[in-house]
Amino acid sequence: MRHRRRRDIIIELTSLLDVIMIIIFMVMTENSKLITEKQSALEAAQLENIEKDDKIEDLSGKLNGLEAELDEALGKLGEGSLEDLIERLAEAESRLESYEYMDEIVFVINVGLENRYNNTVRYLSFGSRSDSEQSLCEIRNDIDLNTAINRLKVFVTEYISKISSDDTNSTIVYVVFSYDTHNVYQDDYAAVDEALKNVEIRANSGNFRYHCNPL
């Protein structure tokens, strides 16, 4: 009977030991997870600090570069007198005003003729140099061609009126007709060329100049 009691005690101790081992294993597993998470957080923080250091270093380099450029500009400023700088600025402003004035009195009209889509459709385009978009006329037959040429003549005539209304005789109009000799029909080219030559004759002014530009 004593032997049985010892045996029961040993069994109970063995079960208790198993429970303790399981608890210890669970605690160790949980600690391992916590250590892994802390290590990941630490690495992320270290990486963020490295990125911040790089940004600070990059910003510092840019500031140093700007400082060097400022020193160089101040050095150049010190090389010349204030009067020279003012004179240069005045010359630049005068040139700018001259360019703006030229845009007001010199008009360039670009005229283009081309065939597209395997010569199934032709296009006549025209517009002044200052226009953001040019007029584009689609030509599929002789009626379309005549309509497009009439629109071109009306457009050019409006610029001729600028010449006739200029008492100073300083307004100049250039018409440049560009076309690909290998990519247009001879009849189309001849019709546009004749129309522009007739406009030049009617203008009867040395300030209206027509130029043909084969590509």
Side-chain angles (χ1 to χ4, degrees), residues 107-111 126-129 134 152 155-157 159 173-177 208:
F107 300 93
V108 178
I109 299 175
N110 294 311
V111 180
F126 53 87
S128 68
R129 179 182 57 185
Q134 291 199 338
L152 171 62
F155 180 81
V156 175
T157 302
Y159 282 87
V173 176
Y174 289 97
V175 177
V176 181
F177 176 30
F208 181 87

Side-chain angles (χ1 to χ4, degrees), residues 71-191:
D71 291 340
E72 182 180 357
L74 291 175
K76 290 182 178 180
L77 182 61
E79 292 175 358
S81 64
L82 182 59
E83 290 78 8
D84 291 338
L85 292 175
I86 293 176
E87 183 178 354
R88 292 179 184 177
L89 288 175
E91 291 177 356
E93 184 177 1
S94 177
R95 287 196 299 270
L96 178 60
E97 291 177 352
S98 298
Y99 296 149
E100 292 176 348
Y101 176 68
M102 291 295 291
D103 285 338
E104 293 177 357
I105 65 173
V106 178
F107 300 93
V108 178
I109 299 175
N110 294 311
V111 180
L113 181 65
E114 62 177 325
N115 289 12
R116 299 181 185 177
Y117 313 118
N118 198 25
N119 296 326
T120 57
V121 182
R122 298 108 72 194
Y123 287 94
L124 177 66
S125 60
F126 53 87
S128 68
R129 179 182 57 185
S130 58
D131 292 339
S132 58
E133 294 184 0
Q134 291 199 338
S135 298
L136 187 65
C137 302
E138 182 179 295
I139 302 171
R140 293 182 179 272
N141 49 52
D142 291 341
I143 296 177
D144 291 342
L145 177 62
N146 292 331
T147 302
I149 290 177
N150 288 333
R151 287 182 57 187
L152 171 62
K153 289 190 291 186
V154 170
F155 180 81
V156 175
T157 302
E158 292 178 358
Y159 282 87
I160 294 176
S161 64
K162 296 179 184 294
I163 297 176
S164 59
S165 61
D166 182 11
D167 297 333
T168 63
N169 196 33
S170 57
T171 300
I172 299 175
V173 176
Y174 289 97
V175 177
V176 181
F177 176 30
S178 301
Y179 62 95
D180 186 349
T181 56
H182 301 290
N183 193 31
V184 297
Y185 292 133
Q186 178 64 27
D187 292 343
D188 291 349
Y189 155 74

